[in-house]
Amino acid sequence: MKNTLLIFLVFVSINIYSQQQGNTEHFTVRVREEIGDLNKDGLQDKVVLTMDTVNTQRPLKLQIFLLQSNRKLRLEFSSKDVFNPQYPNGKYGGDQVPSILIENGNLVLYCEIKDVKEYYTFRYQNGKFELIQISKIIWDGKDTTTETKFDLVNGEKTEVSQLLGSKKAKKKKPTKIAVKALPNLQNFRNPENHFE
């Protein structure tokens, strides 16, 4: 009887240990959540950003759930590669925790990386989240901010520089850009590579 109990306890311990080793992701901390209609069906979809606080790099996972007519959420997108981890190589990388917004039926990702503020706007079309606009705001560390907007649908890049505290734009340079294909959330890294 004692041997049977001992063997049973050993098997239970091995099973628990193997389950713990197999689950290397711990995205349990909900950092951001946004509710809104992304696919223009009148139902409130959900976007969730979670962090793995067990992993020393503190990676972030973006998940998008579309509400179905039966009132159940269906996972449409999930990725750990959209955002940089907070502590790459064990040191703070300079990135703020990103924000997620739903504006006019579009998904907007806001990232602040060191002194650069970036807005990425995606629309849901043909079963994908397509990048339609990029806006980057850079401060030169002195007295000028420069905002660069890429309108990927119309193929136009606009750059405006302003002195701090002034309403007057210092310079504007609208130029045409050729977009090979609209980048999507699945291949979001380095979206500027899609421009010619």
Side-chain angles (χ1 to χ4, degrees), residues 9 22 26-27 30 44 65 68 92-93 100 110 136 142:
L9 290 175
H26 300 89
F27 289 94
R30 188 169 287 194
Q44 296 298 301
F65 300 90
Q68 305 302 295
Y92 178 60
I100 49 178
Y110 169 73
K136 292 187 179 195
K142 297 176 186 169

Side-chain angles (χ1 to χ4, degrees), residues 152 179-184 194:
L152 304 182
V179 180
K180 300 172 191 171
L182 288 179
N184 58 55
H194 292 262

Side-chain angles (χ1 to χ4, degrees), residues 2-195:
K2 288 182 181 180
N3 288 340
T4 306
L5 182 61
L6 182 61
I7 291 171
F8 175 74
L9 290 175
V10 168
F11 280 123
V12 168
S13 298
I14 290 171
N15 188 25
I16 291 172
Y17 177 77
S18 65
Q19 287 177 358
Q20 289 174 342
Q21 294 303 313
N23 185 11
T24 57
E25 294 182 0
H26 300 89
F27 289 94
T28 55
V29 176
R30 188 169 287 194
V31 180
R32 305 268 192 260
E33 181 177 311
E34 187 74 14
I35 306 282
D37 185 7
L38 287 168
N39 55 354
K40 297 172 182 50
D41 62 357
L43 301 173
Q44 296 298 301
D45 307 310
K46 184 188 288 190
V47 182
V48 179
L49 184 65
T50 54
M51 181 185 289
D52 182 343
T53 57
V54 174
N55 185 325
T56 58
Q57 292 191 21
R58 302 293 191 263
L60 298 163
K61 184 193 308 189
L62 178 68
Q63 292 180 301
I64 302 172
F65 300 90
L66 299 181
L67 188 63
Q68 305 302 295
S69 57
N70 62 3
R71 297 293 185 207
K72 292 187 178 180
L73 289 169
R74 175 176 51 87
L75 180 63
E76 183 69 17
F77 176 82
S78 180
S79 177
K80 300 172 288 188
D81 299 324
V82 173
F83 300 111
N84 296 326
Q86 292 295 292
Y87 292 87
N89 303 319
K91 295 180 183 176
Y92 178 60
D95 299 8
Q96 299 294 320
V97 175
S99 291
I100 49 178
L101 307 163
I102 297 175
E103 295 178 348
N104 301 320
N106 295 321
L107 173 66
V108 179
L109 305 178
Y110 169 73
C111 308
E112 194 171 322
I113 303 170
K114 296 187 173 74
D115 291 332
V116 180
K117 295 174 173 56
E118 302 174 330
Y119 294 87
Y120 297 94
T121 304
F122 295 86
R123 70 178 176 201
Y124 185 75
Q125 189 168 309
N126 302 322
K128 293 187 268 186
F129 288 92
E130 298 174 327
L131 182 62
I132 58 171
Q133 186 177 44
I134 301 172
S135 179
K136 292 187 179 195
I137 302 170
I138 301 172
W139 176 50
D140 70 355
K142 297 176 186 169
D143 59 356
T144 305
T145 59
T146 302
E147 181 176 10
T148 306
K149 284 187 181 179
F150 297 91
D151 181 341
L152 304 182
V153 175
N154 296 322
E156 189 172 276
K157 173 185 172 185
T158 307
E159 190 171 294
V160 178
S161 295
Q162 282 185 289
L163 291 172
L164 291 177
S166 171
K167 297 287 182 191
K168 187 176 178 183
K170 197 172 180 182
K171 58 183 176 179
K172 295 183 180 183
K173 296 190 258 184
T175 57
K176 286 290 188 185
I177 57 171
V179 180
K180 300 172 191 171
L182 288 179
N184 58 55
L185 203 50
Q186 287 79 0
N187 57 8
F188 178 62
R189 291 289 189 187
N190 303 316
E192 287 87 354
N193 291 345
H194 292 262
F195 309 158

